[in-house]
Amino acid sequence: MPKDAGDAKLLFQSLNKAYAATPTNLKIIDLYVVFAMATALVQVAYMGVVGSFPFNSFLSSVLSCIGSAVLAVCLRIQVNKDNKEFKDLPPERAFADFVLCNLVLHLVIMNFLG
Amino acid sequence: MAEPVANAAAPAPAPGRLRNAFGGVLCAFTLILIGVLAFSIRLFSVIKYESVIHEFDPYFNFRVTQFLSKNGIYEFWNWFDDRTWYPLGRVIGGTVYPGLTLTAGSIWWFVNALNIPLSVETVCVFTAPIFSAIASWATYLLTKEAKGTGAGLMAAAILAMVPSYISRSVAGSYDNEAVAIFALVFTFYLYVKTLNTGSLFYATLNALSYFYMVCSWGGYTFIINLIPMHVLLCIVTGRYSSRLYIAYAPLVILGTLLAALVPVVGFNAVLTSEHFASFLVFIILHVVAFVYYIKGLLTPRLFKMAMTLVITVGLAVCFAVVAILVALVASSPTKGWSGRSLSLLDPTYASKYIPIIASVSEHQPPTWPSYFMDINVLAFLVPAGIISCFLPLSDASSFMVLYLVTAVYFSGVMVRLMLVLAPAACILSGIALSSAFDVLTRSMKFQLSKLFDDGPAISGNGSPNGSSASTVNTSSSKNEKTEKSEAAPKEKQSKKNRRKDKEVTESVSVKPKKEKRLSVLPLEASIVSTLLLIALGGFYVVHCVWAAAEAYSAPSIVLTSRSREGLHVFDDFREAYAWLSHNTDVDDKVASWWDYGYQTTAMANRTVIVDNNTWNNTHIATVGTAMSSPEKAAWEIFDSLDVKYVLVVFGGLVGYPSDDINKFLWMVRIGGGEFPHIKEPDYLRDGQYRVDAQATPTMLNCLMYKLCYYRFVETDGKGFDRVRGYEIGKKHFKLTHFEEVFTTHHWMVRIYKLKPQKNRIRGKLKKLKSQSSKTSSTLAAGRKKNPWQ
């Protein structure tokens, strides 16, 4: 229906405009998240073609991608200046936490990869 | 309640800081005392009996820890045990929860590295009291996150003594729950801390603590279902915040990975229904987070447009995905849940389908008195705590309430899960008591300050007028006071009423800036109710100490009874195991009911057929069938399993009620579940289980009866069974296929040996000679002929 299509276009335009206003560092983090999710999808597609043996490798690789995406989203939440709850948190501390959590995640992944 | 620093902070900073520091020191000192209390209340069994491992399951854990300390961690991780479940063996590395063993092993290694020569047994016996002290400190931390320091100290003190927790963590009870309860409370503390602060550091620690919990106990599924439930509750009640995302999302990813690392769980972490709730809520949380993000980007009108667009498209996709998921799960007969979890969700499931789970006494529902025995006074402090959690409601306090409600449900299904209820009850009671003391002491302080400010003429109930030194909120409190005096509680009112009065006060009062609002109960009422609350605490302490000393300190391997001559000690179990270890070959196999498997392998060091792990129902049914069959059939079954010795436990001479004759019907049921020729009605006379002269011939001829009552009539001439309370049916009989090799001092454990096959059979010589050619040819053909037939 033309009204819906027009509405959808208007929606996308306003979304694009609002998103363009976000600061660059947040956009970089968003790009990283998109990359991680894309890698996860590629791996799932590969599993669909090749089969899921050995299952622990598949599980660890997919969860590593999703985990990196989730942690990046957490970093973005903490670094975002519009977020009232985290205005006292220095971004260096947020990044340090992000690095630590990633370290633990990848240690576990490497143990589980087999 | 926070320290009353606000009053002193305004005039001069130095007294405030000193007070703060003094408060901190007092708090730390109290925590140390609470730890000492938790440790020492669990030492009754060591004092009364000796430093020995209790019951059945701890002996297995002890044996595994011994192996770990002797052979190192790589051998332990890959250990295949061939001394149990003969001839199947058991993969210990893959089927045991390693947390407890690794904890005790590392403590032993560390202590010995410091050249303190503690034996493995000592470390194992005292692991549980140490970890209960640490668990009470974890409870302090958790309650502090919800309600403040005072409530935390109260909850920690209550948890140190609660009988339900003591029952599973006395010195000597070296079982998974000893460390698992600490891991549970600590994981919850870290989750609540992350929720309150939004720090990713605590989220990482939370995942690591959850990993420790998965290593320790099968009850970890409670955590991975409760936290998603709480997240869902927060979302539904409109309390979504970015801190919630940080608290939950990393936990799911890291937690699933870490759970999959533990060999016992393995791929169950992603494949079984117990974990699906966490993934579902993970997806829901992301959807909600995305919606909030878009809402932040767009104007409200555009947002409404986006919502209508998304809902029409999204719902269709959602239905498709859900339909696929449901079809996948419904295709498996148990809907993806394991047997134990199903028996929790549907309390009647185990009795219908899995008799082994139903037969364990710990898996029965609790009776009402057991609630009072196990959590005592907390049973009616908990509702007060729930109300206190709602004023005000925060994420942490909503979590407490949810934890309590689910724990109460599960404790109603299985009595051993009262242990999970204990920390929840302690926390909420701590909150309730702390809030009550808060109100009472503040009203006392207010009344006393008024008393000294206004002079002796005005009593506690009088209305204040013209007192210059009174507090700022005199006018508002005057209104409250008139209300209060009308609704003034009499001395002996219940605590719930008091809580309601406080609610009325809070809804009316105005919070002043400088001073905290002081409650205005009358002075006499406050003093008396404080004393009454302290008396309540005193009753609780007395009950806990009594329960710890009398009810929960029995090691089960040594029994005592009081008679006119004093204390009588029954050490028959260890006597029997020592006999076995000294008088049999190392490779001899011992058959008994599965209860005694762990103890036999640990103390007698002999191979057993079935043990407490009960992972193979058919094997247990084989042993059960052998115990229920006549002598010849039983001999054949045992011979096919290479069994040399049979062990039975018999309490008829001394009145020990948990013996094999009382458990016999379960052997029949389990055996009959696999081998249909064993039918339970054959052993019952008119539906009643009896072993006297009225018993059925099947019962009087079965192996269990014969092994238990062989030569029993020689003890008193009449064969009077003290447990059953009547004389036995068949008194004089001989055993043809078994011979008695050992009976303990009080006849509690009886050991029999399988008689070897006869070399030749009397009376069939002539027939056999003519058939000998045929026999030899059939033997040469490779078919084994049973010489007993």
Side-chain angles (χ1 to χ4, degrees), chain B residues 382-452:
Chain B
V382 157
I386 296 180
I387 295 177
S388 176
C389 273
F390 279 96
L391 336 151
L393 186 69
S394 67
D395 291 336
S397 51
S398 70
F399 179 72
M400 297 304 172
V401 175
L402 189 66
Y403 173 27
L404 179 92
V405 169
T406 46
V408 165
Y409 170 70
F410 285 122
S411 74
V413 175
M414 256 194 211
V415 73
R416 81 179 282 196
L417 292 180
M418 296 250 340
L419 180 64
V420 175
L421 174 63
C426 293
I427 293 170
L428 284 178
S429 322
I431 292 176
L433 275 179
S434 164
S435 310
F437 276 123
D438 198 17
V439 172
L440 295 171
T441 49
R442 280 207 182 125
S443 62
M444 278 203 291
K445 204 160 102 165
F446 179 72
Q447 299 288 1
L448 283 176
S449 75
K450 265 194 38 49
L451 213 58
F452 290 129

Side-chain angles (χ1 to χ4, degrees), chain A residues 4 7-8 10-11 14-15 18-19 22 30 55-56 59-60 63-64 66-67 70-71 73-74 76-78 83 85-86 93-94 97-98 100-101 104-105 108-109 111-112, chain B residues 197-204 208 240-243 245-246 249-250 253-254 256-258 260-261 266-267 270-271 282 286 293-294 297-298 301-303 305-307 309:
Chain A
D4 276 347
D7 280 345
L10 187 60
L11 205 59
S14 62
L15 264 176
Y19 186 68
T22 57
D30 289 340
F55 192 58
N56 55 329
L59 205 59
S60 63
L63 284 180
S64 140
I66 300 182
V70 163
L71 290 177
V73 171
C74 291
R76 187 190 198 278
I77 289 173
Q78 288 185 329
N83 215 333
E85 286 167 349
F86 290 103
R93 166 74 196 265
D97 286 343
F98 171 71
L100 174 73
C101 209
V104 173
L105 175 71
V108 175
I109 294 288
N111 199 5
F112 196 48
Chain B
T197 59
S199 155
L200 199 55
F201 173 63
Y202 280 109
T204 317
L208 290 174
Y240 171 78
S241 65
S242 44
R243 288 172 289 121
Y245 184 86
I246 296 180
I253 301 293
L254 265 178
T256 310
L257 271 172
L258 287 167
L261 268 185
F267 296 144
V270 292
L271 292 178
F282 185 66
H286 274 89
Y293 175 64
I294 299 289
L297 278 185
L298 297 175
R301 183 184 68 91
L302 280 172
F303 179 65
M305 234 189 330
M307 285 308 289
L309 194 70

